[in-house]
Coordinates of all heavy atoms in Angstrom, one line a residue:
D1 N 29.1 -11.2 -5.9 CA 28.6 -11.8 -7.2 C 27.1 -11.5 -7.3 O 26.6 -11.2 -8.4 CB 28.8 -13.3 -7.2 CG 30.2 -13.6 -7.8 OD1 31.0 -12.6 -8.0 OD2 30.5 -14.7 -8.1
R2 N 26.4 -11.6 -6.2 CA 24.9 -11.4 -6.2 C 24.4 -10.8 -4.9 O 24.9 -11.1 -3.8 CB 24.2 -12.8 -6.4 CG 22.7 -12.7 -6.5 CD 22.0 -14.0 -6.8 NE 20.6 -13.9 -6.9 CZ 19.9 -14.3 -7.9 NH1 20.5 -14.9 -8.9 NH2 18.6 -14.1 -7.9
Q3 N 23.6 -9.8 -5.1 CA 22.9 -9.2 -3.9 C 21.4 -9.1 -4.2 O 21.0 -8.9 -5.3 CB 23.4 -7.8 -3.7 CG 24.8 -7.6 -3.3 CD 25.2 -6.2 -3.0 OE1 24.8 -5.6 -2.0 NE2 25.9 -5.6 -4.0
E4 N 20.6 -9.4 -3.2 CA 19.2 -9.3 -3.2 C 18.8 -7.9 -2.6 O 18.8 -7.8 -1.3 CB 18.5 -10.4 -2.6 CG 18.8 -11.8 -3.1 CD 18.4 -12.0 -4.6 OE1 17.3 -11.7 -4.9 OE2 19.3 -12.3 -5.4
L5 N 18.5 -6.9 -3.4 CA 18.2 -5.6 -2.8 C 16.7 -5.5 -2.7 O 15.9 -5.8 -3.6 CB 18.6 -4.5 -3.8 CG 20.1 -4.5 -4.1 CD1 20.5 -3.4 -5.1 CD2 21.0 -4.5 -2.9
K6 N 16.2 -5.2 -1.4 CA 14.8 -5.2 -1.1 C 14.2 -3.8 -1.0 O 14.9 -2.9 -0.4 CB 14.6 -5.9 0.2 CG 15.1 -7.4 0.3 CD 14.3 -8.3 -0.6 CE 14.7 -9.8 -0.4 NZ 13.9 -10.7 -1.2
L7 N 13.1 -3.6 -1.5 CA 12.4 -2.3 -1.4 C 12.1 -2.0 0.1 O 12.2 -0.9 0.5 CB 11.1 -2.4 -2.1 CG 10.2 -1.1 -2.1 CD1 10.9 0.1 -2.8 CD2 8.8 -1.3 -2.7
S8 N 11.8 -3.0 0.9 CA 11.5 -2.8 2.3 C 12.6 -2.2 3.1 O 12.4 -1.6 4.2 CB 11.0 -4.1 2.9 OG 12.0 -5.1 2.8
D9 N 13.8 -2.4 2.6 CA 15.0 -1.8 3.3 C 14.9 -0.2 3.3 O 15.5 0.4 4.2 CB 16.3 -2.2 2.6 CG 16.6 -3.6 2.8 OD1 16.1 -4.3 3.8 OD2 17.4 -4.2 2.0
A10 N 14.1 0.3 2.4 CA 14.0 1.8 2.3 C 12.7 2.3 3.1 O 12.6 3.5 3.3 CB 13.8 2.2 0.9
F11 N 11.9 1.4 3.7 CA 10.7 1.8 4.4 C 11.1 2.6 5.7 O 12.0 2.2 6.4 CB 9.8 0.6 4.8 CG 9.2 -0.1 3.6 CD1 8.5 -1.3 3.8 CD2 9.2 0.4 2.3 CE1 7.9 -1.9 2.8 CE2 8.6 -0.2 1.3 CZ 8.0 -1.4 1.5
L12 N 10.4 3.7 5.9 CA 10.7 4.4 7.2 C 10.3 3.7 8.4 O 10.7 4.0 9.5 CB 10.0 5.8 7.1 CG 10.5 6.8 6.0 CD1 9.7 8.0 5.9 CD2 12.0 7.2 6.4
M13 N 9.3 2.7 8.2 CA 8.9 1.9 9.3 C 8.6 0.5 8.8 O 8.3 0.4 7.6 CB 7.7 2.4 10.1 CG 6.5 2.6 9.2 SD 5.0 3.0 10.2 CE 4.7 1.5 11.2
P14 N 8.8 -0.6 9.5 CA 8.6 -1.9 9.0 C 7.1 -2.1 8.6 O 6.2 -1.6 9.2 CB 8.9 -2.8 10.2 CG 9.8 -2.0 11.1 CD 9.3 -0.6 10.9
K15 N 6.9 -2.8 7.4 CA 5.6 -3.0 6.9 C 5.6 -4.3 6.2 O 6.2 -4.4 5.1 CB 5.2 -1.8 6.0 CG 3.7 -1.9 5.5 CD 2.8 -1.5 6.7 CE 1.3 -1.4 6.2 NZ 0.4 -1.1 7.3
E16 N 4.9 -5.3 6.7 CA 4.9 -6.6 6.0 C 3.9 -6.6 4.9 O 2.9 -5.9 4.9 CB 4.6 -7.7 7.1 CG 5.6 -7.9 8.1 CD 5.3 -9.1 9.0 OE1 4.3 -9.8 8.8 OE2 6.1 -9.3 10.0
G17 N 4.1 -7.5 3.9 CA 3.2 -7.7 2.8 C 3.5 -6.9 1.6 O 2.8 -7.0 0.6
Y18 N 4.5 -6.0 1.6 CA 4.8 -5.2 0.5 C 6.3 -5.4 0.2 O 7.2 -5.0 1.0 CB 4.5 -3.7 0.8 CG 3.1 -3.5 1.0 CD1 2.5 -3.5 2.3 CD2 2.2 -3.1 -0.1 CE1 1.1 -3.3 2.5 CE2 0.9 -2.9 0.1 CZ 0.3 -3.0 1.4 OH -1.0 -2.8 1.6
E19 N 6.6 -5.9 -1.0 CA 8.0 -6.2 -1.3 C 8.3 -6.1 -2.8 O 7.4 -6.3 -3.6 CB 8.5 -7.5 -0.7 CG 10.0 -7.8 -0.7 CD 10.7 -6.7 0.1 OE1 11.0 -5.7 -0.5 OE2 11.0 -7.0 1.3
W20 N 9.5 -5.7 -3.1 CA 10.0 -5.7 -4.5 C 11.5 -6.0 -4.4 O 12.2 -5.4 -3.6 CB 9.7 -4.4 -5.2 CG 10.3 -4.3 -6.5 CD1 11.5 -3.9 -6.9 CD2 9.6 -4.7 -7.7 NE1 11.6 -4.0 -8.3 CE2 10.5 -4.5 -8.8 CE3 8.3 -5.1 -8.0 CZ2 10.1 -4.7 -10.1 CZ3 8.0 -5.4 -9.3 CH2 8.9 -5.2 -10.4
T21 N 11.9 -6.9 -5.3 CA 13.3 -7.3 -5.2 C 14.1 -7.0 -6.5 O 13.6 -7.3 -7.6 CB 13.4 -8.8 -4.9 OG1 12.7 -9.1 -3.7 CG2 14.9 -9.2 -4.7
A22 N 15.3 -6.4 -6.3 CA 16.2 -6.3 -7.4 C 17.3 -7.3 -7.3 O 18.0 -7.2 -6.3 CB 16.7 -4.9 -7.5
H23 N 17.5 -8.2 -8.2 CA 18.6 -9.1 -8.2 C 19.8 -8.4 -8.8 O 19.8 -8.3 -10.0 CB 18.2 -10.4 -8.9 CG 16.9 -11.0 -8.6 ND1 16.6 -11.5 -7.3 CD2 15.8 -11.1 -9.3 CE1 15.3 -11.9 -7.3 NE2 14.8 -11.7 -8.5
M24 N 20.7 -8.0 -8.0 CA 21.9 -7.3 -8.6 C 23.0 -8.3 -8.8 O 23.5 -8.9 -7.8 CB 22.3 -6.2 -7.7 CG 23.4 -5.3 -8.4 SD 23.7 -3.7 -7.6 CE 24.8 -4.3 -6.3
L25 N 23.5 -8.5 -10.0 CA 24.5 -9.4 -10.4 C 25.8 -8.7 -10.8 O 25.7 -7.8 -11.6 CB 24.1 -10.3 -11.5 CG 22.8 -11.1 -11.3 CD1 22.5 -12.0 -12.5 CD2 22.8 -12.0 -10.0
N26 N 26.9 -9.0 -10.2 CA 28.2 -8.4 -10.6 C 28.7 -9.2 -11.8 O 29.0 -10.4 -11.7 CB 29.2 -8.5 -9.4 CG 30.5 -7.8 -9.7 OD1 30.8 -7.4 -10.8 ND2 31.3 -7.7 -8.7
I27 N 28.8 -8.5 -13.0 CA 29.2 -9.2 -14.2 C 30.6 -8.8 -14.6 O 31.0 -9.0 -15.8 CB 28.2 -8.9 -15.3 CG1 28.1 -7.4 -15.6 CG2 26.9 -9.6 -15.0 CD1 27.3 -7.1 -16.9
N28 N 31.4 -8.1 -13.7 CA 32.8 -7.9 -14.0 C 33.5 -9.2 -14.3 O 33.1 -10.2 -13.8 CB 33.4 -7.1 -12.9 CG 33.0 -5.6 -12.9 OD1 33.3 -4.9 -13.9 ND2 32.4 -5.1 -11.9
A29 N 34.6 -9.1 -15.0 CA 35.4 -10.3 -15.3 C 35.7 -11.1 -14.0 O 36.2 -10.5 -13.0 CB 36.7 -9.9 -15.9
G30 N 35.3 -12.4 -14.0 CA 35.5 -13.2 -12.8 C 34.2 -13.4 -12.0 O 34.1 -14.3 -11.2
G31 N 33.2 -12.5 -12.2 CA 32.0 -12.6 -11.5 C 30.9 -13.3 -12.3 O 30.8 -13.1 -13.5
N32 N 30.1 -14.1 -11.6 CA 29.1 -14.9 -12.2 C 29.5 -15.6 -13.5 O 28.8 -15.5 -14.6 CB 27.9 -13.9 -12.5 CG 27.1 -13.6 -11.2 OD1 26.4 -14.4 -10.7 ND2 27.3 -12.4 -10.7
Q33 N 30.6 -16.2 -13.4 CA 31.2 -16.9 -14.6 C 30.3 -17.9 -15.3 O 30.2 -18.0 -16.5 CB 32.5 -17.5 -14.2 CG 33.4 -17.9 -15.4 CD 33.8 -16.6 -16.2 OE1 34.1 -15.6 -15.6 NE2 33.8 -16.7 -17.5
N34 N 29.5 -18.6 -14.5 CA 28.6 -19.6 -15.0 C 27.5 -19.0 -15.9 O 27.2 -19.5 -17.0 CB 28.0 -20.4 -13.9 CG 27.1 -21.6 -14.4 OD1 27.6 -22.4 -15.2 ND2 25.9 -21.7 -13.9

């Protein structure tokens, strides 16, 4: 229903202090009904 996709997951090496988040919501029938 929901995934938090993080920019840092794509970093070639760990680096704190830099982040961007995509909130991915599944809106197919039955998902995120509320």
Side-chain angles (χ1 to χ4, degrees):
D1 274 8
R2 183 177 180 125
Q3 294 184 74
E4 302 297 308
L5 305 181
K6 303 289 187 179
L7 180 67
S8 58
D9 291 338
F11 292 172
L12 291 173
M13 62 173 290
K15 187 72 173 180
E16 294 185 4
Y18 297 88
E19 193 58 274
W20 177 272
T21 303
H23 311 294
M24 190 168 78
L25 306 181
N26 185 349
I27 57 170
N28 282 301
N32 285 288
Q33 197 59 42
N34 187 49

